[in-house]
Amino acid sequence: MKKWKVGVIGATGYAGLELCRLLLAHPEAELAAVSSVTYLGQRLDGVYPQLRGFCDLTLGEEAQVVESCQVVFGSLPAGLSEPIARRCVQAGKLYIDMGADFRLKEEADYRQWYGKAYADPALHAQAVYSIPELHRQLVPGAKLIANPGCYPTSICLGLAPVARADAAQPGSLVIDSKSGTTGAGRGLALNTHHPECNEAFAPYKVACHRHTPEIEQVLGELWGQPLTVTFVPHLLPVNRGILSTLYLSLRPGWTPERVRALYEEAYAQEPFVRLLPEGEVANIKNIKYSNLCHISLHFDRRAGRLIVASAIDNMGKGAAGQAVQNMNLALGLAETAGLMALPPAF
């Protein structure tokens, strides 16, 4: 069987490398080209020796990736994807943006949170934003896909069933999320320097994280009304994983049993979302190196509040794994192709 030729722009960042790792094991994709600005001209397995014997590609220019591949992933900082996406779309190729450039529908939101305007509004109008479990029907045949952020993925999967049923009061929602340090990228920064974050735990970008408008956009669509949320992220002294703990008040008549039934129905057929049995708690340890999302439900009966814990791997379901899942859907492949590796126990 002829495989799809796939390339990764920004292959030496953490998310780009994770994407390469998944694509090298994909049954219907061939990692055909990779690029990097920092390591241009070097071999990928020279930058990451764990790839020796698996990948001997040389890191080239962005243009080489676009030219030689049918599917292109962009793992780039905000503000760099527009011209690459335009070239891909004009050439009839599939471009999947793992950055933030195409996630927000309103240009005003992008201006406010990223300080930039859309150079090509018509191109943005073509973009399909996809958390597959929530937007699956929009993806087949798409040529430009906005891969979601890691925090919004864990949060929106955790809340989608109650939001769609309007079983809880959105104005009561408080979002408390924790992420491993790979979420900050490979570049050096003081707060992710080992002596600074090891044996430490603190919130950061309190009430001003750039994923806030994306969270509000998706939850607003699910609830059917504009939302303003309180979102507080924290930095965990671990490499991988996101745990979002979500607090909100149930509407009258919504019992724990009814809420659990909502989640069971919503996720019964989903290959990557696991609703944990009553009494179990979502834990990032159990989803590492996977495309899984574990959700546990908890009820404060005295206060009438629902507490949802949602765990994902920020490099997997929060980035590269979900990008491959979106590629599979867009190309008409099995949605689970290349993504069914089991998480390790330790």
Side-chain angles (χ1 to χ4, degrees):
M1 182 184 299
K2 190 175 181 180
K3 295 185 176 184
W4 292 87
K5 289 189 177 296
V6 180
V8 178
I9 294 174
T12 56
Y14 288 144
L17 173 68
E18 185 74 354
L19 186 54
C20 292
R21 185 178 73 86
L22 293 174
L23 292 170
L24 286 166
H26 197 289
E28 298 187 65
E30 174 195 348
L31 183 61
V34 289
S35 80
S36 169
V37 173
T38 306
Y39 299 98
L40 180 65
Q42 298 183 41
R43 280 180 33 157
L44 185 58
D45 62 359
V47 181
Y48 288 104
Q50 60 266 51
L51 295 182
R52 291 203 181 279
F54 295 98
C55 179
D56 61 0
L57 293 173
T58 296
L59 292 152
E61 303 273 3
E62 293 173 0
Q64 294 173 272
V65 178
V66 174
E67 206 172 288
S68 60
C69 295
Q70 300 162 288
V71 180
V72 177
F73 291 89
S75 184
L76 299 168
L80 301 179
S81 281
E82 267 188 321
I84 304 168
R86 187 183 303 112
R87 290 200 299 271
C88 288
V89 170
Q90 289 174 346
K93 301 169 186 282
L94 170 60
Y95 184 73
I96 300 176
D97 184 29
M98 293 171 64
D101 285 5
F102 296 95
R103 291 174 184 164
L104 301 179
K105 294 183 178 180
E106 299 297 328
E107 183 176 0
D109 290 335
Y110 192 74
R111 283 178 183 269
Q112 177 183 346
W113 291 88
Y114 292 91
K116 298 174 183 177
Y118 290 166
D120 189 344
L123 182 67
H124 285 262
Q126 298 179 52
V128 172
Y129 176 94
S130 172
I131 299 174
E133 291 76 10
L134 307 182
H135 307 98
R136 182 180 286 114
Q137 73 282 1
L138 303 176
V139 180
K143 291 299 182 185
L144 175 54
I145 297 174
N147 206 57
C150 49
Y151 282 125
T153 298
S154 68
I155 292 161
C156 295
L157 287 176
L159 292 173
V162 287
R164 283 173 166 165
D166 195 24
Q169 301 170 25
S172 68
L173 175 62
V174 175
I175 302 169
D176 182 300
S177 295
K178 295 93 174 172
S179 174
T181 57
T182 51
R186 198 178 183 212
L188 298 177
L190 181 61
N191 69 317
T192 55
H193 187 45
H194 180 76
E196 299 292 332
C197 65
N198 185 47
E199 298 189 39
F201 179 58
Y204 69 101
K205 296 183 181 176
V206 177
C208 62
H209 194 283
R210 283 178 165 181
H211 284 180
T212 302
E214 183 184 346
I215 294 164
E216 292 177 341
Q217 175 179 280
V218 180
L219 291 182
E221 291 171 352
L222 290 169
W223 250 292
Q225 64 183 79
L227 290 188
T228 300
V229 303
T230 297
F231 168 50
V232 182
H234 301 68
L235 186 66
L236 282 173
V238 300
N239 287 343
R240 307 169 70 111
I242 281 181
L243 180 70
S244 291
T245 310
L246 316 163
Y247 307 84
L248 64 172
S249 298
L250 291 171
R251 294 196 185 278
W254 281 95
T255 64
E257 293 73 24
R258 284 188 70 192
V259 172
R260 176 164 283 277
L262 267 183
Y263 280 79
E264 288 173 346
E265 181 180 359
Y267 294 132
Q269 303 302 316
E270 290 296 342
F272 298 116
V273 182
R274 307 280 192 268
L275 177 63
L276 301 184
E278 191 171 351
E280 291 191 18
V281 180
N283 188 328
I284 59 172
K285 175 183 177 181
N286 300 323
I287 48 74
K288 284 193 304 183
Y289 302 100
S290 81
N291 197 51
L292 296 173
C293 174
H294 280 192
I295 295 173
S296 62
L297 303 179
H298 313 272
F299 301 91
D300 185 338
R301 293 177 184 266
R302 183 180 59 84
R305 290 179 70 80
L306 167 66
I307 303 166
V308 182
S310 176
I312 64 171
D313 185 323
N314 59 302
M315 290 288 101
K317 184 61 172 162
Q322 185 151 251
V324 172
Q325 189 179 356
N326 275 318
M327 177 191 76
N328 291 341
L329 286 167
L331 299 179
L333 308 176
E335 187 172 341
T336 58
L339 295 171
M340 294 304 289
L342 296 177
F346 47 83

